[in-house]
Amino acid sequence: MPQTALTVDELAARAGVTVRTVRFYSARGLLPPPEIGPRRVGRYGPGHLSRLALIGELRSRGLTLAAVGRYLAQLPPGAGEHDLAVHRALVASWLPEGSARLDRAELERRAGRPLGEADVARLAAMAVLERTADPDVFVADPGILHLGLRLLDAPVPLEAVVAAREALQQHARAAAGAISRIFRETVGGAGHEAGPDPAARSLSAQMQPLVVQALVTAFQRSLKEQLWAGRPSPAGDPPRTAPDAGDAGDAGDAGDAGDAGDAGDAGRP
């Protein structure tokens, strides 16, 4: 079943939530209505799936439904699935690292189709999941699982995906090292050879979301420049840069009161 014609049950399965949660978010105005197909059956597309993923990340970060609504309201009206995926990546990058154990049935439910050994090997090569002693149980990185599943059917050789990942890691380590040196030399100051200054550590934690956003934005623009280098832009449609996450959904909203019990009402897993 293509992602452009998902029923509410299929959408919930792909997103890893319940049908009740999907309908609850729709009733709150967080999810746009589906297209009505034959027999008046609602059909959902990639935009709905990406928006559900973004809502889930925001909720995991501690934002209330009211704060999530304000975040989504500040997104550009034409934000598509790829723009939403960028926002989700920015939100996920602020979360503590973690992992989740999934059995094969849950993994296939998220993928929306049966997964063969070649699929599992591809996900493992991309470091999306790790195998365990049980061949039907895996340890997955929730932050990138959805991306890995989307790449399963992409017409990109596994070697190219792995090479791109290694290139990203190499340059990310170099950028992180350079930024860390700048902070140590200009913020940490001298006299802290025994360990980082607590004040500098606190400032670094506060700056992390801004640094991550700056890196993602710079990478997006550089990648678009490289992809469009030597190519004429479509008439009347110059290359469009993805919207900055900016300060939509301020972290301070995480403490909003009034809908603290909504998560339970929605049947969130």
Side-chain angles (χ1 to χ4, degrees), residues 1 4-5 9 20 46 55 60 69 77 79 89 110 128 133 135 160 172 183-185 201 216 234 243 253 257 263:
M1 175 71 68
T4 53
D9 297 273
R20 185 182 178 190
I55 293 171
S60 297
R110 297 287 187 91
V128 172
F183 269 92
R184 285 197 300 268
E185 294 170 0
R201 183 189 294 274
V216 172
D253 290 336

Side-chain angles (χ1 to χ4, degrees), residues 8 32 44 53 58 62 76 97 123 134 136 138 215 218-221 263:
V8 66
Y44 299 83
L58 292 169
E97 295 183 0
L123 292 172
D134 186 335
D136 290 324
F138 311 94
L215 286 172
F219 177 75
Q220 281 184 289
R221 291 173 178 169

Side-chain angles (χ1 to χ4, degrees), residues 7-32:
T7 65
V8 66
D9 297 273
E10 292 163 341
L11 176 69
R14 297 283 183 93
V17 300
T18 65
V19 172
R20 185 182 178 190
T21 297
V22 174
R23 289 174 172 156
F24 180 76
Y25 287 160
S26 298
R28 292 291 301 247
L30 303 179
L31 201 64

